Amino acid sequence: MTKTLTLLGSGDMGTALGKAWLAAGYDLTVWNRTAARTARLAEAGATVAGTAAKAVAANDLIVLCLLDDASVGEALDGIDLAGKDVVNLTTGTPADARARSAWVAERGGRLLDGGIMAVPPMIGVEGSGAYVFYSGSPELFETRADLLSVPAGTRYVGADAGFAALYDVALLSGMTGMFAGINHAFALLRGENASPAEFATMLAEWLTAMTGMIGGIAESLSKNDFTTGVTSNLAMMVTGNGTLLRTAAEQGVSAELIAPFTDLMARHSAAGHGDEGLAGLVDALRG
Ligand code: NDP
């Protein structure tokens, strides 16, 4: 397989990806809507194409790293994709990825969707922990495995093009809830005679210890058993949540970040599930 590819998009992430391929000796053609933003890659040895159509025509492998799915549709509008391998590293929903996969197939190409689990400074850095979820064409993934493993590790999660986005968004959603809790915790201590730096250490240690609960939730879900082995039951936690909410009020902190979760726990417990652990809330969320 020749070491050539086209990259559409040289924003912060696209530039980091492009630099990694250039550093590994790949021949890179780049296009960006705002031409000036290709300068960093051009300096590093990339060939700059004047239009997206010319960039696509230059190579069989096309990597996209644009803002959102709509930008992908705009950038590829009217371009012949016959015989092209399209790797879409633009963040989107699972439905976006499935629709885009069919859209590329209608135009004669095949698609691999990717969800990047990293920020730009981690790209191309050995040992940074950066990786990309991939789903979609298994043949494309296997044929291009060497190239795909240059900027970050790879995790192939299935032929359904929507799965990379699903795993990506599930991890980001877990992170979003975690940061909501972190912001609430800092707000409780704000204005008090307490060092944010010292508290940060305590919070990081506590949250790290609590990640030990994740495996137990998975086990309950796998067995469809939400009561066996429960050491912190919902009824107890609902009472504890009252203390959390009253403390927020005492400290003048809005409970808006934690209230949706404490409300769900109270509702599920009141519906007769007070002896369950946290895993029971997963199905309660799905209605
Ligand atoms: P940037 O905002 O730096 O770059 C966005 C890119 O999309 C630019 O190349 C921009 O072109 C292009 N673009 C936007 N709208 C259009 C359009 N309508 N038509 C054509 N091109 C368009 O974002 P990033 O590079 O940081 O992010 C790119 C993707 O990578 C996103 O999907 C993001 O979610 C994902 N990602 C980013 C991470 C990060 O930390 N940065 C982490 C993980 C994933 P122009 O220069 O002309 O505006």
Side-chain angles (χ1 to χ4, degrees):
M1 193 62 59
T2 52
K3 293 177 77 170
T4 61
L5 75 152
T6 282
L7 173 66
L8 303 185
S10 57
D12 292 328
M13 185 54 88
T15 299
L17 293 166
K19 279 187 174 171
W21 278 307
L22 288 166
Y26 283 78
D27 186 349
L28 182 81
T29 298
V30 63
W31 169 83
N32 195 64
R33 183 181 60 176
T34 306
R37 264 184 119 182
T38 58
R40 284 180 296 170
L41 288 178
E43 277 163 27
T47 303
V48 177
T51 65
K54 282 182 187 163
V56 170
N59 289 302
D60 293 338
L61 179 66
I62 317 301
V63 176
L64 292 115
C65 190
L66 301 174
L67 187 62
D68 56 12
D69 183 64
S71 348
V72 174
E74 276 182 41
L76 293 179
D77 186 34
I79 294 179
D80 183 14
L81 296 176
K84 301 291 179 185
D85 279 350
V86 178
V87 177
N88 187 15
L89 300 180
T90 305
T91 304
T93 69
D96 287 339
R98 289 174 187 132
R100 194 56 69 192
S101 177
W103 188 88
V104 167
E106 280 164 22
R107 285 158 180 75
R110 56 183 182 178
L111 181 127
L112 187 67
D113 194 68
I116 305 172
M117 303 315 300
V119 291
M122 295 164 72
I123 297 296
V125 177
E126 192 77 32
S128 71
Y131 69 88
V132 180
F133 283 121
Y134 285 105
S135 63
S137 168
E139 296 82 13
L140 197 169
F141 180 73
E142 277 158 31
T143 322
R144 308 290 187 169
D146 287 350
L147 182 148
L148 296 175
S149 64
V150 168
T154 62
R155 292 189 188 183
Y156 183 74
V157 288
D160 177 341
F163 260 67
L166 188 55
Y167 278 98
D168 179 354
V169 171
L171 291 188
L172 294 178
S173 299
M175 180 189 77
T176 300
M178 182 185 76
F179 281 125
I182 289 170
N183 275 282
H184 183 86
F186 273 113
L188 290 176
L189 273 89
R190 192 87 174 139
E192 301 288 349
N193 184 20
S195 151
E198 279 173 24
F199 181 64
T201 305
M202 293 176 208
L203 186 57
E205 281 171 3
W206 174 245
L207 292 178
T208 302
M210 286 300 101
T211 60
M213 305 274 286
I214 299 173
I217 293 175
E219 196 180 333
S220 296
L221 292 171
S222 300
K223 292 179 176 163
N224 237 0
D225 175 355
F226 305 125
T227 53
T228 304
V230 168
T231 53
S232 304
N233 69 57
L234 218 42
M236 177 280 291
M237 286 191 278
V238 168
T239 303
N241 287 343
T243 307
L244 265 53
L245 296 169
R246 284 195 304 280
T247 303
E250 284 175 16
Q251 295 297 101
V253 171
S254 163
E256 64 193 297
L257 294 179
I258 61 168
F261 193 49
T262 58
D263 286 351
L264 176 71
M265 291 165 91
R267 259 196 335 272
H268 197 57
S269 182
H273 301 277
D275 57 344
E276 294 181 1
L278 287 171
L281 296 169
V282 174
D283 288 348
L285 261 187
R286 292 187 63 94

